[in-house]
Amino acid sequence: MKTIIEPFKIKSVEPLYFTTEEERIEALQEADYNVFLLPSQKVIIDLLTDSGTSAMSSRQWAGIMMGDESYAGSPSFFRFEKTVQDIMGLPIVIPTHQGRGAEKILFTVLSQDKKTYISNTLFDTTRANIEFSGAVGLDFPCEEAKNPGIPAPFKGNMDVVKLEKHLAGPEVKDVALVILTVTNNSGGGQPVSMENIRQTSEICKKYQVPFFLDACRFAENAWFIKQRENGYRDIPVKDIVREMFSYANGCLMSAKKDAFANIGGFLAMRDTDLAVRCRNLLVITEGFPTYGGLAGRDLEAIAIGLEEILDEHYLAYRMRSITYLSDKLVAAGVPVMLPPGGHAVYLDAKRFAEHIPVDQYPGISVVCALYIKGGIRAVEIGSLMFGKYDAGGQLIPAVHELVRLAIPRRVYTQSHIDYIAEVIIEVFNERKKMTGYKIIEEALLLRHFTAKLQPMD
Ligand code: F0G
């Protein structure tokens, strides 16, 4: 059979909240044109994020009931720990309340000694936590990552030549950590090849710099390796995952993505001294090392989710549903990042809204138009999220102006996806009507979460 179907049936449902275009215009104005500030019941289809928005399975809900809420030594922790050890092959596992809890702890500890972090592309909270610890983050994406419209199999790769050049110089003394984000979220959800993971690891070993994976979407990345990299077609995803982690000294994980959990995260590593330092900080910020900011029931849900995500029927369906949306948009001439990523379709707002200059945030124009037209909530990954100012107060724009349509796991059906495509295509056909935006209020860090905006006249 050619048709790839959802590998689940639905036991419990929740309603969508329908609104009219007039209601949405008013809601957006009240939210100061920042969709993060909208009440979610004013959203029909929520593609803001794939994080914490998964539908849990009946097994996971059963796990919730099994959770043991002992403060110390809960069997739920040991089950969680063993699952991470078995899947990732990393011996030390430290739970945190979500990915950024793990980031805060790791970077606070490492930045005490060294102040540079190098990545294929750091995610926004990851970069913010690095900068907040007084360090700097450098992104070395590969060449192919620079053109959203030109497909390549592994656009998430690190530029290993640039990495080696940096580490071979005197600056190596200040490099705390190299991080590969798999898949590369801010770079379009694009995968990193096994070859690139291996090469990055070898370079790090040569210059004695620790190497971690930011592993939120590790299973989606492994699936892409299986589909696209020579020699992996017949290898089970779980073995590909083991190999990916075998090259790393540790990982940061948000369990809100590829563990189907609504909350949770962890740090895992091999270095016992580093683990002692991380746990010291853990107990004063997150909690005791056998729960780390989570309830026992959450640890159960994560452990079960980590097993479920490796189901190849699920991964085949997941990629098919993302490609299905991307194909429809491409057929209508909508500019998207190619090939589509693992958890999202990314619109290329620079080409979608060609008439809007980058200092008027074309990504925001597209996000607002999608919301007004069809109640779809997307997120800008462009100069509002990553732009900086120079000394004269001029915007230094981000490399890309993308709009991410993140697809929550196991939540929306094919007709929802058809509706999403229809809305986007209509907005694209009327794109000349869109105007740019200006910021009227913003925070110093992670400004996209709270910024207030206004349409240009
Ligand atoms: N790293 C990456 C690559 C992420 O995508 C995220 C979160 C984090 C770290 C932080 O994890 O949310 O559990 O604290 N990404 C979400 C997103 C928020 O929408 O892409 P967290």
Side-chain angles (χ1 to χ4, degrees):
M1 286 295 150
K2 284 205 303 292
T3 308
I4 295 172
I5 58 174
E6 286 84 353
F8 49 80
K9 50 190 180 165
I10 297 165
K11 178 175 289 193
S12 178
V13 296
E14 56 182 320
L16 292 183
Y17 296 96
F18 290 97
T19 46
T20 63
E21 198 164 316
E22 290 67 41
E23 285 167 339
R24 293 193 292 270
I25 289 171
E26 203 183 305
L28 193 58
Q29 199 175 1
E30 275 171 24
D32 290 299
Y33 301 94
N34 183 343
V35 292
F36 278 102
L37 306 180
L38 284 170
S40 65
Q41 292 194 341
K42 295 271 165 75
V43 174
I44 300 176
I45 304 266
D46 206 345
L47 308 183
L48 186 67
T49 180
D50 62 321
S51 180
T53 52
S54 299
M56 289 211 295
S57 65
S58 49
R59 260 186 85 215
Q60 283 179 295
W61 283 111
I64 292 272
M65 288 307 294
M66 298 291 292
D68 179 298
E69 304 304 341
S70 305
Y71 187 92
S74 159
S76 301
F77 170 74
F78 295 116
R79 202 146 34 238
F80 158 82
E81 181 187 47
K82 183 167 184 319
T83 307
V84 176
Q85 289 166 338
D86 288 349
I87 290 176
M88 297 175 171
L90 294 166
I92 303 169
V93 187
I94 302 175
T96 59
H97 76 279
Q98 63 182 88
R100 67 200 74 175
E103 291 165 5
K104 173 91 169 102
I105 287 173
L106 184 68
F107 304 150
T108 304
V109 167
L110 293 178
S111 298
Q112 286 168 1
D113 308 322
K114 298 180 178 184
K115 299 244 183 300
T116 308
Y117 294 76
I118 302 176
S119 177
N120 47 347
T121 309
L122 294 164
F123 182 63
D124 62 352
T125 61
T126 322
R127 170 170 290 285
N129 268 308
I130 287 170
E131 291 174 0
F132 193 72
S133 76
V136 291
L138 304 176
D139 290 340
F140 292 169
C142 65
E143 267 312 300
E144 303 91 284
K146 292 178 186 154
N147 194 330
I150 299 177
F154 290 104
K155 290 171 91 167
N157 282 355
M158 166 92 86
D159 182 337
V160 282
V161 176
K162 203 164 168 185
L163 174 68
E164 173 134 33
K165 211 162 145 197
H166 191 95
L167 297 188
E171 295 101 327
V172 69
K173 286 203 296 293
D174 197 43
V175 179
L177 186 68
V178 169
I179 306 168
L180 268 180
T181 312
V182 297
T183 56
N184 187 352
N185 187 7
S186 311
Q190 300 291 320
V192 180
S193 69
M194 192 71 88
E195 187 189 15
N196 196 257
I197 299 175
R198 196 183 309 120
Q199 286 173 340
T200 303
S201 164
E202 280 163 11
I203 295 168
C204 288
K205 270 203 197 100
K206 182 166 161 193
Y207 296 98
Q208 297 180 345
V209 174
F211 164 49
F212 269 49
L213 296 177
D214 180 346
C216 315
R217 299 180 181 87
F218 71 98
E220 289 168 4
N221 199 88
W223 181 254
F224 281 122
I225 289 175
K226 184 172 171 102
Q227 301 305 305
R228 297 182 185 169
E229 192 159 348
N230 280 342
Y232 287 94
R233 172 108 355 206
D234 298 323
I235 313 271
V237 162
K238 85 178 196 333
D239 295 349
I240 296 176
V241 167
R242 263 314 260 263
E243 186 181 341
M244 283 166 57
F245 285 90
S246 73
Y247 300 119
N249 300 102
C251 78
L252 295 143
M253 174 79 189
S254 165
K256 299 172 75 173
K257 284 81 167 175
D258 274 0
F260 294 121
N262 301 128
I263 194 70
F266 55 87
L267 275 170
M269 61 190 73
R270 303 179 197 282
D271 181 339
T272 44
D273 294 336
L274 179 61
V276 168
R277 295 173 74 194
C278 289
R279 283 196 179 117
N280 285 343
L281 194 54
L282 185 85
V283 287
I284 57 169
T285 54
E286 301 278 304
F288 189 74
T290 62
Y291 72 85
L294 293 169
R297 54 179 171 269
D298 301 321
L299 295 167
E300 293 280 352
I302 295 168
I304 296 164
L306 284 172
E307 286 165 359
E308 289 182 353
I309 202 89
L310 300 175
D311 172 10
E312 299 195 9
H313 290 292
Y314 163 75
L315 289 167
Y317 139 78
R318 172 79 173 152
M319 294 317 141
R320 180 64 201 123
S321 60
I322 309 272
T323 309
Y324 176 80
L325 174 59
S326 175
D327 288 352
K328 281 197 157 205
L329 299 178
V330 170
V334 178
V336 297
M337 161 118 20
L338 290 173
H343 63 296
V345 170
Y346 292 69
L347 306 175
D348 182 358
K350 259 188 214 167
R351 287 188 290 143
F352 195 114
E354 263 170 343
H355 60 293
I356 300 176
V358 289
D359 61 358
Q360 291 180 22
Y361 306 101
I364 293 296
S365 309
V366 176
V367 167
C368 290
L370 294 179
Y371 175 69
I372 291 170
K373 173 66 74 187
I376 294 173
R377 177 155 68 167
V379 68
E380 188 249 24
I381 299 199
S383 292
L384 182 66
M385 189 181 277
F386 287 118
K388 302 250 163 184
Y389 295 111
D390 65 16
Q394 291 296 318
L395 178 77
I396 309 168
V399 184
H400 298 306
E401 304 296 334
L402 301 174
V403 170
R404 186 184 72 174
L405 307 151
I407 311 294
R409 293 168 184 76
R410 305 191 291 208
V411 170
Y412 292 118
T413 65
Q414 187 166 347
S415 54
H416 291 125
I417 302 280
D418 288 335
Y419 172 81
I420 295 163
E422 189 181 335
V423 171
I424 297 169
I425 292 165
E426 270 196 41
V427 169
F428 181 66
N429 291 339
E430 299 167 358
R431 61 194 178 278
K432 290 283 180 289
K433 286 198 229 158
M434 293 185 331
T435 56
Y437 281 79
K438 63 179 175 209
I439 299 174
I440 51 170
E441 208 180 296
E442 62 185 297
L444 270 177
L445 271 179
L446 296 172
R447 65 177 181 171
H448 54 288
F449 286 141
T450 53
K452 294 184 177 173
L453 296 125
Q454 232 169 38
M456 307 294 286
D457 300 330

